[in-house]
Amino acid sequence: MGEVLKASKESIERAAAILQAGGLVAFPTETVYGLGASALDPKAVARVFEVKNRPSFDPFIVHIADSSDLEQLCTRINEKAYKLIDKFWPGPLTLVLPKSDIIPDIVTAGNNTLAVRMPSHPIALELIRQTGLPIAAPSANPFSRLSPTTADHVKNQIGSKIDLIIDGGSCAIGVESTVLELTEEAVLLRPGGITIEEIEEVIGPIKTTFSSAKPHSPGQLLHHYSPHTHLQIIKDENFVIPNEIRAGLITFKGVRDQSRFKNVEVLSESGDLYQAASNLFSALHRLDVANLDIIYAEAFPETGIGMAIMDRLKKAEHKS
Ligand code: TXA
Ligand code: MG
């Protein structure tokens, strides 16, 4: 249990065999590490719910290694879906479409739609391909906690409860995939690695409901992606930190006065939002074990992938 193996031909073969036998394997994707199980095996999927302590109403994303596999998993795949697949798969875009009968209800938490994506990470693709199965894979963290972007994050949070962790280094994108429903109309359910601007360029205007209090998608719960340490987004620039308080800081470019902070995480000195996204969860994991009373986070520009960064910070800030 909890073994970590560097990605190699042998370790991927072993991981595929574990998945085929109904086991659980954590593996890298370009967004975050996923906790994989065969999407055709209800018992294996039930174990993922248990390991993550995830409420049974929250459905999983199914991962495929070939875009044509979508046709077995979903029905009524429309023109918009094909256009987006053409442009963004493999990559960090998850599409929610009417499900076919081969997917057990536990995967979709009883919904009649299924979320599917084809990741671009070569290790994820090779692993899925070798299993010959659709792979259900939520982020490999306990429910509502920080997402993992390294094998160590997975090991520290859930390592003892799963069969194997494939270590493929850090995840390049660092925030989860964008989740887009494409049933009646196109509705953004979670901002992520592919930006709204990029999607609208291909299919025109989409609806965005991800900040609503009444979630369409369980991932829209207001409290999510949280460190154990209290996090607060800086709203008033004149805020004062009392002397006895040990404060950490998440800053975009690192230009503010840092003297009052015990630990400072600069996400991108050059002001690159993609670099900031890729550093976000690692920085939060480090601050969370630094024995701080509070983590302050700067507000990020809500354009492009900055929208996904702010979505994660707002959910980390929100008290459950
Ligand atoms: O980048 C990612 O998407 C990562 C990697 C591992 O691929 N996976 C991931 O999975 O973030 P998870 O389970 O942590 O988040 C899946 C999100 C949740 O917000 C869930 O509520 C939503 O997708 N979702 C899944 N199926 C859905 C459905 N049928 N309808 C609406 N939302 C759905
Ligand atoms: Mg997650």
Side-chain angles (χ1 to χ4, degrees):
M1 285 295 219
E3 195 182 354
V4 182
L5 293 178
K6 286 252 179 284
S8 68
K9 188 169 170 285
E10 293 72 34
S11 64
I12 292 173
E13 271 170 25
R14 189 151 142 218
I18 291 172
L19 289 168
Q20 285 167 335
L24 308 192
V25 175
F27 60 94
T29 80
E30 72 280 20
T31 57
V32 300
Y33 274 71
L35 176 58
S38 164
L40 303 182
D41 183 340
K43 267 199 185 141
V45 174
R47 218 180 120 203
V48 179
F49 274 105
E50 194 179 290
V51 165
K52 279 186 62 89
N53 208 358
R54 179 164 170 135
S56 58
F57 59 77
D58 198 355
F60 294 138
I61 297 173
V62 169
H63 295 63
I64 56 179
D66 190 321
S67 55
S68 65
D69 290 348
L70 178 67
E71 282 158 11
Q72 288 163 37
L73 307 179
C74 291
T75 62
R76 289 191 276 134
I77 305 168
N78 50 41
E79 197 53 38
K80 283 182 180 167
Y82 283 114
K83 279 188 177 161
L84 291 168
I85 288 166
D86 215 39
K87 179 92 186 179
F88 298 117
W89 279 13
L93 176 66
T94 295
L95 300 180
V96 175
L97 289 160
K99 82 186 261 293
S100 74
D101 295 336
I102 74 163
I103 292 292
D105 284 340
I106 187 170
V107 173
T108 61
N111 281 298
N112 53 17
T113 56
L114 175 69
V116 182
R117 90 175 187 98
M118 177 181 175
S120 65
H121 197 296
I123 294 167
L125 285 174
E126 184 53 32
L127 176 60
I128 300 164
R129 202 170 284 133
Q130 278 198 30
T131 62
L133 293 164
I135 298 295
S139 50
N141 54 293
F143 180 69
S144 90
R145 310 264 52 129
L146 293 174
S147 297
T149 54
T150 66
D152 261 359
H153 295 159
V154 180
K155 188 173 176 221
N156 296 340
Q157 296 193 97
I158 55 166
S160 64
K161 300 178 180 165
I162 65 179
D163 300 305
L164 180 64
I165 301 168
I166 298 289
D167 183 353
S170 306
C171 303
I173 293 178
V175 290
E176 294 84 346
S177 63
T178 303
V179 180
L180 184 70
E181 185 179 319
L182 278 181
T183 49
E184 302 303 313
E185 44 187 0
V187 185
L188 181 75
L189 301 179
R190 177 177 74 181
I194 299 288
T195 66
I196 298 185
E197 294 88 334
E198 287 173 304
I199 291 171
E200 291 192 329
E201 212 167 282
V202 178
I203 59 164
I206 59 172
K207 263 197 170 174
T208 57
T209 63
F210 60 88
S211 55
S212 69
K214 266 214 183 130
H216 259 242
S217 169
Q220 299 174 299
L221 295 171
L222 292 173
H223 173 73
H224 219 83
Y225 310 111
S226 307
H228 292 93
T229 315
H230 179 55
L231 181 141
Q232 194 176 310
I233 298 171
I234 300 169
K235 280 162 196 119
D236 175 3
E237 286 298 329
N238 300 315
F239 71 113
V240 178
I241 306 168
N243 271 331
E244 66 279 12
I245 296 288
R246 287 178 312 247
L249 176 67
I250 293 269
T251 163
F252 184 16
K253 303 178 221 178
V255 289
R256 83 175 46 240
D257 174 17
Q258 299 175 5
S259 55
R260 266 300 289 122
F261 298 97
K262 199 167 163 283
N263 299 58
V264 176
E265 294 282 349
V266 182
L267 298 194
S268 172
E269 269 168 23
S270 64
D272 176 346
L273 281 173
Y274 278 94
Q275 186 179 34
S278 75
N279 288 325
L280 175 68
F281 280 118
S282 278
L284 285 167
H285 278 283
R286 281 191 294 272
L287 291 176
D288 205 20
V289 294
N291 195 24
L292 300 167
D293 298 311
I294 186 163
I295 300 168
Y296 286 98
E298 280 178 1
F300 283 68
E302 286 185 84
T303 57
I305 202 160
M307 187 164 274
I309 297 175
M310 276 307 278
D311 172 72
R312 305 308 186 265
L313 288 174
K314 284 179 192 165
K315 285 178 178 159
E317 177 181 50
H318 201 275
K319 292 179 198 71
S320 46

